Amino acid sequence: MNDIMKETLEHKHLAHLEALQAAYDRLLATHGFDGVLIYSGHPQRHFADDQHASFATYGHFMHWVPLHGLDHSWLLVRAGQRPKLQLHAPTDFWHLGTTLPDEAWVDAFEIARVDTPTPPGLPAGRYAVLGDVDEQTARSLGAELNPPTLTQALDEGRVRKSAYEIDCLREANRRAIHGHRAARDAFFDGGAELDIQLAYLGASRQRESDLPYQSIVGLNQHAAVLHYQHYELVAEADHRSLLIDAGHRYRGYAADITRTWAGGDASDAFAGLIEGVTTIQHNLIREMGPGVDYPTLHARMHQGLGELLGELGVVRCSAPAAVEQGITRAFCPHGLGHLLGLQVHDVAGRQTADGTALPPPAEHPALRLTRTLEAGMVVTMEPGCYVIPMLLDPLRETPAGGDIDWAAVEALAPHGGVRIEDNVLVTDQGAENLTPTL
């Protein structure tokens, strides 16, 4: 095998599967199991309806099988044996049948196509079954359902990404950026929120149900609703701001990118806020590396926000005072970021490698990553600053309220807020930003 072949995604995937088998062999022996049966999951029906909700394949299944959206399928992993994939492929004239790609990874599995979603029988021994499986099914298999210690150990195995996974995340980012460019152009052309979302989907070449999460497309004040969930059909009369948080999924791996743009009606202060939050993000990325405590980076984000708000004349006190009084938390109530992988908010972000809980600081309960950074982690870096009245208004009646220029706040309010988010790989030397520039 020459060096060029080794560098292909196909060969990286085979190496990923080989390493995954070795890791499972060790964990099964450590926890006393002869094997583990992993269920891909299935769509859930809406109550009193025959339509199904959007479906996401179970992450530990996709860690092996790169087919997002595959349902009612089972994967049996045993030590030292070729994994067995039971593929749900019914003969059905209502839907297009399930097919496998012409890729080398398929030959790494023993594959059986079946018409029913019934799980395969298990050989004699002690087995675990993982996924959205009911107790009755687990009992019928004679298997232990989602044993916590094994599940935690497998979650930990997804924290540091293989070369194959990093390439998948890089490609997801590349495709998502095509959408972000089109969304930006649609905004500057005066489009409504729905127009911007449709431009994003078209340029990133994906349908709504394939997104790793529902896109946030907020114009003006909607940019201050952190998980804004609607798309207005009519363009805004005032062209102040766009905040778009939108991703892509490639072979199961998710991109999660946010950009904020100032429109023709934006104030100079809001343009300065975008520039300042972007600078904070770039500075924090430069500080990343193995051994860096992520909550410490989160605290530095708040220090940077305090300095920025002072520079813009929004607060009159020092940056440490703005943090101490909770002013910066009112302007940014979310965490700095999270682990990223097969799930947008990937597993094991609030625990140590041995499973010990690492809860977020009491004053920052929304922080989703509380670990020390390690090479191979991929994390989001997403500082933000918003005018959210329900968080800011209570400060008016406190001593902190005297340190806030409320006229400046009210001038920023019609713009909503700012978030700048990239996806960053922790390397041995520091960090690599996987998100292309716009």
Side-chain angles (χ1 to χ4, degrees):
M1 186 184 300
N2 60 45
D3 289 340
I4 293 175
M5 291 180 67
K6 288 180 182 177
E7 288 305 310
T8 66
L9 184 68
E10 179 176 80
H11 285 86
K12 287 181 181 180
H13 190 193
L14 293 177
H16 167 81
L17 292 175
E18 184 177 349
L20 200 54
Q21 181 70 59
Y24 269 63
D25 288 356
R26 291 192 300 271
L27 290 175
L28 290 173
T30 298
H31 295 276
F33 288 98
D34 295 291
V36 57
L37 183 64
I38 309 173
Y39 182 44
S40 67
H42 57 273
Q44 301 288 343
R45 280 188 178 179
H46 296 297
F47 179 70
D49 199 347
D50 63 354
Q51 300 295 310
H52 292 86
S54 296
F55 167 69
T57 304
Y58 181 42
H60 285 302
F61 186 94
M62 286 197 296
H63 207 192
W64 290 86
V65 181
L67 299 176
H68 180 258
L70 187 62
D71 59 11
H72 291 108
S73 296
W74 301 83
L75 179 66
L76 177 61
V77 182
R78 291 177 289 173
Q81 300 191 40
R82 194 177 177 197
K84 292 185 175 182
L85 172 61
Q86 180 173 292
L87 186 70
H88 185 233
T91 303
D92 179 8
F93 58 81
W94 292 105
H95 305 95
L96 185 65
T98 302
T99 59
L100 291 172
D102 183 16
E103 295 180 8
W105 69 263
V106 174
D107 294 330
F109 296 83
E110 180 182 328
I111 299 175
R113 298 171 181 270
V114 300
D115 288 331
T116 69
T118 306
L122 294 175
R126 183 187 178 209
Y127 289 85
V129 58
L130 301 183
D132 186 12
V133 179
D134 58 70
E135 291 279 0
Q136 182 178 351
T137 298
R139 284 196 299 270
S140 71
L141 291 166
E144 298 177 35
L145 179 58
N146 296 317
T149 55
L150 178 61
T151 302
Q152 179 275 318
L154 293 176
D155 286 351
E156 183 63 24
R158 284 168 47 190
V159 169
R160 290 154 296 278
K161 304 301 188 286
S162 67
Y164 161 75
E165 294 178 287
I166 292 166
D167 276 5
C168 290
L169 288 161
R170 185 178 283 110
E171 179 63 15
N173 269 263
R174 187 189 70 80
R175 296 184 181 201
I177 281 296
H178 288 305
H180 276 272
R181 290 176 181 139
R184 174 196 59 195
D185 293 345
F187 167 61
F188 288 134
D189 287 342
E193 290 169 351
L194 180 62
D195 300 318
I196 295 167
Q197 167 68 349
L198 293 176
Y200 180 85
L201 293 173
S204 59
R205 307 301 294 162
Q206 54 186 331
R207 58 191 288 182
E208 187 94 29
S209 59
D210 289 334
L211 292 167
Y213 57 94
Q214 180 177 308
S215 301
I216 300 166
V217 182
L219 293 175
N220 300 342
Q221 281 127 319
H222 290 162
V225 181
L226 298 185
H227 285 171
Y228 175 63
Q229 71 274 40
H230 304 293
Y231 305 125
E232 290 288 347
L233 308 184
V234 178
E236 297 284 340
D238 296 315
H239 199 241
R240 294 191 180 94
S241 63
L242 165 68
L243 187 153
I244 174 167
D245 185 338
H248 202 290
R249 194 184 289 278
Y250 180 71
R251 299 173 74 92
Y253 290 86
D256 180 6
I257 302 168
T258 309
R259 289 293 182 270
T260 309
W261 304 100
D265 297 323
S267 68
D268 290 343
F270 183 71
L273 188 63
I274 294 176
E275 181 180 357
V277 172
T278 302
T279 298
I280 290 171
Q281 193 230 36
H282 290 174
N283 290 340
L284 290 171
I285 291 173
R286 280 193 287 270
E287 294 185 38
M288 292 176 62
V292 174
D293 180 63
Y294 198 79
T296 298
L297 292 180
H298 177 84
R300 289 177 182 165
M301 174 189 74
H302 279 275
Q303 177 69 22
L305 287 176
E307 294 169 359
L308 175 60
L309 292 169
E311 292 168 4
L312 295 175
V314 178
V315 300
R316 305 183 183 94
C317 58
S318 67
V323 174
E324 178 65 26
Q325 296 182 92
I327 294 174
T328 60
R329 290 197 300 275
F331 279 99
C332 184
H334 63 71
L336 177 59
H338 49 80
L339 291 174
L340 181 70
L342 290 164
Q343 293 168 226
V344 176
H345 300 144
D346 216 2
V347 292
R350 288 179 169 182
Q351 63 187 41
T352 62
D354 66 3
T356 303
L358 284 175
E363 64 273 24
H364 302 293
L367 182 59
R368 289 190 171 101
L369 179 55
T370 54
R371 298 178 63 139
T372 298
L373 297 179
E374 302 174 45
M377 287 181 173
V378 176
V379 306
T380 65
M381 293 292 284
E382 48 184 303
C385 188
Y386 317 85
V387 178
I388 305 174
M390 72 174 65
L391 299 180
L392 288 166
D393 286 348
L395 295 178
R396 293 177 185 269
E397 308 305 321
T398 70
D403 287 330
I404 297 174
D405 185 331
W406 292 102
V409 170
E410 288 159 11
L412 284 173
H415 304 79
V418 175
R419 182 162 64 253
I420 304 295
E421 177 182 17
D422 287 339
N423 305 161
V424 184
L425 167 67
V426 183
T427 69
D428 291 329
Q429 295 75 36
E432 176 191 349
N433 195 333
L434 301 180
T435 305
T437 57
L438 279 170

